[in-house]
Amino acid sequence: MTRIPTALWMTLAATMGVTPALASSTDWFETQGGRIRLVTSGGPDAQGRIAGVLDIALDPGWKTYWRDPGDSGVPPSLNISESSSNIASAELAFPAPQRHDDGYSKWAGYDHSVSLPVTFTLTSPGQAAMIDADIFLGICETVCIPVQAQLLLDPAIDPDNAADAALVSQAVNALPAPARPDFGAAIVSTDDNRLVIEAKLPEGAASADFFIVGAEGYSFGTPERIGSDGRILFSVEILNRPKDIPAQGGLHYTLVTSSGSVSGTLPYL
């Protein structure tokens, strides 16, 4: 698969467009290799949050990226533009990815259509809102196509649409479960250049892969599984790390097995 250098993605956006704010979901935005739309469902909850999805429909043979694709590629992003009203933030969530090796590099993503849950938080709960979202993502076949679109919607127009509610519910249910002591990951050793992760798997799991997200100045190589006395270990190269350890948060990870997947955080190092 031919890759476009990251620095060129924004200037080489293949397609741009705006969909009108006529409903609580946008029309499909068509692009080479697939199409995208934004969907919301239901009114805001007690905390002023509205549930939705970034719906990515891929043509056969096309792929898209996970939240941290690896050493090349750009993860899907959704940013709220200044023309939105009463929207404080938007946060994407990601189902478990797959590991891909195209002969050029190993990367994390999806080789099928995928719906990414998104949570919109209102600035003032109880007040009307309008969502104007700038979307940027890459989809790939033999070459990678950067896709940029502006999607507009009014979440109050049709909040009880049954099809939209089913899509949002299905996407949320497809997310990895929270990690737990008997199914999750922990750091067992680290030095300046590498960390070793031990994975705990559910009984009967026949395979496992580990994905870690670089953020706050951290970036990582592709985790490689290593064997040690029956333990399930992954060696991860540390490519970059900040001078100072962040005071809050942690390193997000997803552990994918044949018996399901979980996500959690590891302490900064």
Side-chain angles (χ1 to χ4, degrees):
M1 183 187 306
T2 302
R3 294 299 178 82
I4 299 172
T6 301
L8 298 180
W9 277 80
M10 291 303 295
T11 58
L12 295 178
T15 47
M16 298 181 65
V18 178
T19 60
L22 298 177
S24 55
S25 62
T26 68
D27 292 333
W28 286 103
F29 177 74
E30 305 283 345
T31 184
Q32 184 178 354
R35 54 185 184 164
I36 62 174
R37 64 174 177 160
L38 191 59
V39 176
T40 60
S41 176
D45 64 13
Q47 287 73 45
R49 299 172 300 193
I50 297 174
V53 297
L54 174 59
D55 204 14
I56 305 170
L58 298 174
D59 293 342
W62 288 77
K63 305 175 181 67
T64 194
Y65 297 110
W66 185 56
R67 63 188 298 176
D68 187 334
D71 59 4
S72 59
V74 175
S77 66
L78 187 156
N79 295 303
I80 297 301
S81 75
E82 293 182 355
S83 57
S84 294
S85 61
N86 197 29
I87 301 294
S89 64
E91 183 177 359
L92 285 171
F94 293 80
Q98 305 160 311
R99 185 79 62 197
H100 296 275
D101 186 347
D102 57 25
Y104 172 77
S105 66
K106 294 180 180 179
W107 55 281
Y110 311 96
D111 62 2
H112 53 79
S113 298
V114 62
S115 297
L116 307 179
V118 55
T119 301
F120 297 98
T121 300
L122 301 184
T123 304
S124 300
Q127 301 297 316
M130 187 72 70
I131 296 171
D132 184 353
D134 294 321
I135 311 296
F136 189 69
L137 69 153
I139 59 174
C140 307
E141 191 188 33
T142 54
V143 297
C144 288
I145 307 296
V147 179
Q148 187 172 3
Q150 183 182 1
L151 303 181
L152 294 84
L153 60 80
D154 182 345
I157 285 186
D158 189 16
D160 300 319
N161 183 287
D164 290 349
L167 177 65
V168 172
S169 177
Q170 183 179 25
V172 171
N173 290 337
L175 293 175
R180 57 182 194 262
D182 62 337
F183 190 6
I187 298 174
V188 294
S189 68
T190 184
D191 57 31
D192 289 341
N193 302 312
R194 189 168 297 275
L195 67 152
V196 176
I197 305 294
E198 181 173 11
K200 298 289 188 181
L201 305 188
E203 185 176 355
S207 62
D209 204 350
F210 179 79
F211 301 83
I212 188 168
V213 179
E216 301 293 338
Y218 293 92
S219 63
F220 302 94
T222 301
E224 301 289 344
R225 184 167 174 175
I226 57 178
S228 178
D229 301 326
R231 300 164 72 192
I232 299 170
L233 303 177
F234 291 90
S235 176
V236 184
E237 183 181 7
I238 303 170
L239 302 177
N240 294 287
R241 65 197 308 168
K243 179 180 178 181
D244 299 315
I245 296 176
Q248 297 181 336
L251 298 166
H252 291 270
Y253 74 85
T254 296
L255 177 61
V256 180
T257 81
S258 57
S259 298
S261 59
V262 293
S263 287
T265 58
L266 302 169
Y268 287 124
L269 50 115

